[in-house]
């Protein structure tokens, strides 16, 4: 099949960008979307034109490197699918597809379809870790974990940090990403000692990176290739309230009898 691609071309972060039309010819249904772009790039290189820049690494939906908007939808709109796993069979001969990078203030464009997602790294750096004693690995069953907790932690750990949630959200909120990272560690016994500090630090880091706030649109969950549920945002908010409350509450001091006001005091 043959497709028309309108691709966002931008030389550098400071340069102005614009859409440029290309013809993708002889696309087979079994090609992945990125293979189709590889093929187009080979044509561009043979014509001495600069190839279209796009991020990728594993091409198996694992690493989270890939991602851009196809016709305005992050990763192209196939539920639970990264753009590297998106097959061309989902498109029709003659289709016109518009490709553009994630649009968010916290994700500046580096070139074409590549954006700078280091803001996510700084959120992880703020608290996405546990402290553990050095030495040999502990026995597998030395820390017992409830099945529900391990399932929740595994579901949250599925987040690959691709940034689709931010790109899809009208507020460019990173709360789905941050809540997945917080829920992953806060659900496990190993994550309890730093639970409050982790939650506070990662939420503050998220706000510092100029991401917006969640207003329950649900676009993030709809486009997430790992189907991270919005329920994790609720968990993060609960942990945040709890950590703020614990941080600011005064220690409870029970006065001694001598410190209690006497009857004489109350008569004055
Ligand atoms: S290239 Fe790794 S998830 Fe797409």
């Amino acid at each position: 099949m043959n497709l028309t691609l309108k691709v966002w071309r931008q030389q550098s972060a400071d340069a102005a960008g614009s859409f440029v039309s290309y013809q993708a010819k002889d696309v087979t249904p079994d090609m992945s979307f990125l293979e189709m772009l590889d093929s187009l790039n080979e044509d561009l290189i043979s014509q001495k034109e600069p190839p279209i820049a796009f991020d990728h690494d594993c091409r198996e939906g694992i690493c989270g490197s890939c991602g851009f908007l196809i016709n305005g939808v992050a990763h192209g709109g196939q539920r639970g699918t990264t753009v590297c796993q998106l097959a061309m069979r989902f498109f029709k001969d003659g289709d016109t597809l518009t490709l553009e990078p994630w649009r968010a203030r916290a994700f500046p464009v580096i070139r074409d379809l590549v954006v700078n997602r280091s803001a996510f790294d700084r959120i992880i750096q703020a608290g996405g870790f546990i402290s553990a004693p050095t030495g040999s690995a502990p026995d597998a069953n030395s820390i017992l974990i409830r099945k529900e907790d391990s399932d929740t932690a595994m579901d949250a750990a599925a987040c690959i940090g691709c940034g689709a949630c931010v790109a899809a959200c009208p507020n460019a909120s990173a709360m789905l990403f941050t809540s997945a990272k917080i829920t992953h560690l806060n659900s496990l016994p190993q994550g309890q000692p730093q639970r409050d500090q982790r939650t506070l630090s990662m939420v503050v880091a998220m706000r510092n990176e100029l991401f917006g706030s969640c207003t329950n649109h649900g676009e993030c969950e709809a486009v997430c290739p790992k189907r991270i549920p919005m329920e994790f945002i609720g968990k993060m908010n609960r942990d945040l309230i709890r950590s703020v409350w614990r941080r600011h509450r005064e220690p409870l001091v029970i006065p001694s009898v001598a410190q209690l006001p006497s009857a004489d005091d109350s008569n004055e």
Side-chain angles (χ1 to χ4, degrees):
M1 61 184 153
N2 297 319
L3 303 166
T4 301
L5 303 181
K6 294 185 174 174
V7 185
W8 183 261
R9 303 301 311 260
Q10 184 172 337
Q11 276 280 3
S12 66
D14 301 327
S18 63
F19 285 104
V20 179
S21 290
Y22 299 99
Q23 298 302 315
K25 299 197 176 104
D26 303 326
V27 177
T28 62
D30 293 334
M31 276 181 171
S32 75
F33 205 93
L34 298 191
E35 284 168 345
M36 182 274 294
L37 284 182
D38 288 340
S39 168
L40 174 61
N41 274 345
E42 282 171 16
D43 290 347
L44 291 175
I45 291 168
S46 68
Q47 294 159 18
K48 309 251 181 290
E49 281 190 48
I52 298 161
F54 59 90
D55 256 333
H56 61 98
D57 189 2
C58 70
R59 299 200 177 202
E60 293 179 339
I62 299 169
C63 72
S65 297
C66 66
F68 45 80
L69 302 167
I70 303 172
N71 289 345
V73 182
H75 289 298
Q78 289 297 316
R79 284 283 281 162
T81 306
T82 53
V83 75
C84 63
Q85 294 203 296
L86 183 64
M88 293 311 297
R89 73 178 70 94
F90 295 117
F91 302 96
K92 296 194 299 295
D93 185 34
D95 274 356
T96 298
L97 307 178
T98 304
L99 314 188
E100 53 185 320
W102 293 159
R103 301 290 190 190
R105 191 158 46 149
F107 289 164
V109 174
I110 296 174
R111 186 184 174 102
D112 297 341
L113 304 177
V114 180
V115 298
N116 182 345
R117 284 172 286 184
S118 58
F120 273 6
D121 298 335
R122 289 187 287 277
I123 294 173
I124 294 285
Q125 198 176 10
F129 51 83
I130 60 163
S131 58
T134 54
S136 56
D139 285 344
N141 287 329
S142 61
I143 301 175
L144 298 179
I145 303 173
R146 292 191 321 145
K147 177 78 168 66
E148 295 83 0
D149 294 340
S150 75
D151 284 352
T152 302
M154 286 298 287
D155 288 348
C159 170
I160 54 176
C162 62
C165 49
V166 174
C169 176
N171 308 326
S173 167
M175 289 182 82
L176 194 69
F177 165 79
T178 308
S179 67
K181 299 303 171 191
I182 287 175
T183 302
H184 169 205
L185 297 178
N186 282 7
S187 300
L188 296 171
Q190 295 91 331
Q192 297 313 305
Q194 292 148 324
R195 181 172 182 162
D196 291 346
Q197 189 55 47
R198 170 183 308 112
T199 307
L200 277 173
S201 301
M202 293 181 77
V203 170
V204 168
M206 176 183 74
R207 300 303 300 264
N208 288 346
E209 296 294 341
L210 305 177
F211 291 108
S213 295
C214 174
T215 46
N216 293 318
H217 282 263
E219 294 290 328
C220 53
E221 184 181 290
V223 300
C224 176
K226 296 300 163 185
R227 304 189 186 206
I228 303 293
M230 282 182 71
E231 130 195 6
F232 289 163
I233 296 178
K235 282 182 186 293
M236 179 180 74
N237 286 337
R238 279 198 295 279
D239 275 0
L240 181 64
I241 291 168
R242 198 179 69 157
S243 58
V244 169
W245 179 74
R246 280 191 183 165
R247 193 181 177 90
H248 293 293
R249 73 176 169 171
E250 294 293 326
L252 182 62
V253 179
I254 300 174
S256 65
V257 175
Q259 292 171 312
L260 290 173
S262 67
D264 295 343
D265 295 338
S266 56
N267 290 336
E268 286 175 2

